[in-house]
DNA sequence: ATTTTTGGTTGTGTATTACAACTATAATGA
DNA sequence: TCATTATAGTTGTAATACACAACCAAAAAT
């Protein structure tokens, strides 16, 4: 079972939706270049959906399509200058929000909370079979 | 900004979707009866959507429509016997899943993790202005 | 008594997806 | 090497999930 968050077209920040930010971020975390086909898995969507999700980013010149080095069918998405700036901008906006959340956690417990959150998320992941097919069988 | 989880029609358990379970659960937690109009807010959807989400539950006789005591326009949803059983069934299934997650958290930290999770969620809520209009302004 | 507001339904448009069909390239294998 | 099969991406289409608007009936306000 796939669980998606923030899938609406609603703009998150700077005219970028959450899904779009995810794509920018995945690219950024890999040095600004990512194979289109890698995105299917990362976003848990069909390849046709990936095509369509990437569209607006390319149209707005936040990313560029480049043919992959070793496979002329495959496409790499490359962060443009503008895309990089946008990514940082949105990150700033997001961390602003996170800071707000943090401010509401008693100072002496912040570390504990973040730590516990990590444990919880990893537990769910392991319980759901990580990337392997759903061992998360609810019958 | 509205954030929705598990909105797909995908069956969660026992032929009940997550949204349907939420409705059953809200009713159950209020003694088996809930005003249809209360659901709009609880589910964060338009009233037209509520109407449509409730449809299948009524058709499957998990809930019944009853005219509200003090307003002949308003409708109350009442859990049927069957609906109550279904609710418990799905709860069992869900807690089975949660147990699986818990088993993967070191025993001596379980309490801490749950505790921290509560703090985190409350912080987000307060940060986003609880039920008041979005103070969660990202900008 | 008339007007306005509110609860619910239905009609309709838009967005988000998956699935299938198709093209082009790559890999396999006889 | 040539035929087969697999893979990358795009486009067409259908299903779903929702909001918004128009509507009716009942309630509240004037």
């Amino acid at each position: 079972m796939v669980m998606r968050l923030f899938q609406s077209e609603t703009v998150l920040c700077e005219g970028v939706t959450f899904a779009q930010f995810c794509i920018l971020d995945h690219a950024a975390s890999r040095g600004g270049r990512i194979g289109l086909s890698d995105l299917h898995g990362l976003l848990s969507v069909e390849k046709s959906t990936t095509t369509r999700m990437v569209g607006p980013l390319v149209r707005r010149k936040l990313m560029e399509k480049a043919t992959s080095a070793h496979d002329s069918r495959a496409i790499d998405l490359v962060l443009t200058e503008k895309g990089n700036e946008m990514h940082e901008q949105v990150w700033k906006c997001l961390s602003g929000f996170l800071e707000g959340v943090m401010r509401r956690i008693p100072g002496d417990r912040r570390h504990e909370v973040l730590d516990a959150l990590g444990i919880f998320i990893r537990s769910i992941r392991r319980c759901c079979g990580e990337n392997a097919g759903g061992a998360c069988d609810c019958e």
Side-chain angles (χ1 to χ4, degrees), chain A:
Chain A
M1 187 199 234
V2 175
M3 175 170 129
R4 292 200 192 85
L5 245 43
F6 278 119
Q7 281 312 106
S8 73
E9 276 289 283
T10 314
V11 164
L12 177 65
C13 201
E14 304 284 333
V16 169
T17 68
F18 185 68
Q20 285 166 2
F21 171 70
C22 286
I23 296 175
L24 294 179
D25 195 57
H26 277 125
S29 73
R30 297 173 171 218
R33 191 181 186 100
I34 188 172
L36 185 52
S37 59
D38 295 334
L39 278 179
H40 313 330
L42 291 169
L43 304 172
S44 298
V45 295
E46 285 295 308
K47 54 186 182 170
S48 58
T49 305
T50 310
T51 298
R52 282 160 176 142
M53 293 204 314
V54 157
L57 294 173
V58 174
R59 245 171 279 128
R60 289 175 61 190
K61 298 198 195 305
L62 302 176
M63 305 194 94
E64 269 174 5
K65 285 184 176 179
T67 38
S68 162
H70 302 303
D71 187 337
S72 62
R73 297 166 302 174
I75 287 179
D76 278 359
L77 292 168
V78 186
L79 265 183
T80 62
E81 182 81 17
K82 202 174 150 200
N84 217 351
E85 280 166 27
M86 181 65 83
H87 174 250
E88 276 174 29
Q89 206 61 32
V90 179
W91 239 121
K92 242 178 259 170
C93 165
L94 273 185
S95 53
F97 168 67
L98 263 196
E99 244 172 60
V101 175
M102 281 301 149
R103 260 201 305 279
R104 283 166 179 89
I105 299 178
D108 56 330
R109 307 203 58 185
R110 275 178 208 156
H111 188 276
E112 178 199 334
V113 168
L114 284 188
D115 201 36
L117 212 54
I119 293 181
F120 187 67
I121 291 176
R122 274 191 300 278
S123 301
I124 293 184
R125 270 217 191 108
R126 283 203 311 260
C127 182
C128 292
E130 200 86 42
N131 31 33
C136 194
D137 56 315
C138 196
E139 209 115 20

